[in-house]
């Protein structure tokens, strides 16, 4: 990537669409995520970053007549954290002004969704 940042905890590969491999992640949001990662002090594994229009989840949303959401604009990330790490991430994300947060802390695929799409209702907090 051109213009290497002083601190970059996230690779282009992990933020790319898992369906097609395209990287279209918002650079300002990436800088904010790096600050959040720095303040957390532990890895934040990405379970979903950018999602292209053909990504199965977006195809499903489109078929249901729903908007594609912030992942399709590179303005959202799902981070595979749980228990005390999830609690710390929420604390840090709120301190950094993340306006939209989704929480899944049940079962085997626990994650926190951080979303910076200001065109969507905010502030917002939801559970899956």
């Amino acid at each position: 990537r051109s213009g290497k940042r002083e601190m970059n905890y996230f690779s282009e590969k992990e933020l790319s669409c898992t369906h097609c491999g395209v990287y279209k992640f918002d650079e300002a949001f990436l800088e904010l995520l790096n600050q959040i990662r720095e303040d957390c002090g532990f890895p934040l594994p990405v379970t979903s970053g950018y999602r292209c229009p053909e990504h199965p989840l977006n195809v499903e949303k489109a078929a249901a007549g729903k908007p594609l959401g912030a992942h399709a604009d590179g303005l959202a990330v799902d981070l595979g954290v749980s228990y005390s790490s999830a609690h710390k991430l929420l604390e840090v994300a709120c301190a950094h002004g993340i306006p939209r947060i989704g929480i899944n802390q049940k079962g085997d695929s626990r994650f926190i969704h951080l979303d910076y799409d200001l065109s969507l209702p905010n502030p917002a907090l939801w559970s899956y």
Side-chain angles (χ1 to χ4, degrees), residues 33-94:
L33 285 177
N34 277 303
Q35 293 169 12
I36 289 168
R37 163 58 181 87
E38 179 75 12
D39 289 355
C40 281
F42 52 80
L44 298 174
V46 175
T47 60
S48 187
Y50 170 71
R51 293 183 195 149
C52 74
E54 292 79 32
H55 187 285
L57 291 176
N58 282 343
V59 169
E60 196 177 298
K61 284 181 177 183
K66 296 179 181 175
L68 299 187
H71 282 281
D73 293 319
L75 288 167
V77 66
D78 296 343
L79 301 168
V81 293
S82 57
Y83 304 103
S84 62
S85 296
H87 191 278
K88 177 68 174 179
L89 175 58
L90 288 173
E91 176 187 322
V92 172
C94 287

Side-chain angles (χ1 to χ4, degrees), residues 8-18 23 25 29-30 33-34 37 42-51 71 76-81 89 110-114:
N8 189 15
Y9 292 102
F10 302 95
S11 73
E12 194 171 294
K13 183 176 188 221
E14 69 184 326
L15 293 170
S16 296
C17 180
T18 56
Y23 176 81
F25 205 81
F29 185 44
L30 177 56
L33 285 177
N34 277 303
R37 163 58 181 87
F42 52 80
L44 298 174
V46 175
T47 60
S48 187
Y50 170 71
R51 293 183 195 149
H71 282 281
V77 66
D78 296 343
L79 301 168
V81 293
L89 175 58
R110 295 169 187 248
F111 67 90
I112 301 287
H113 168 98
L114 301 182

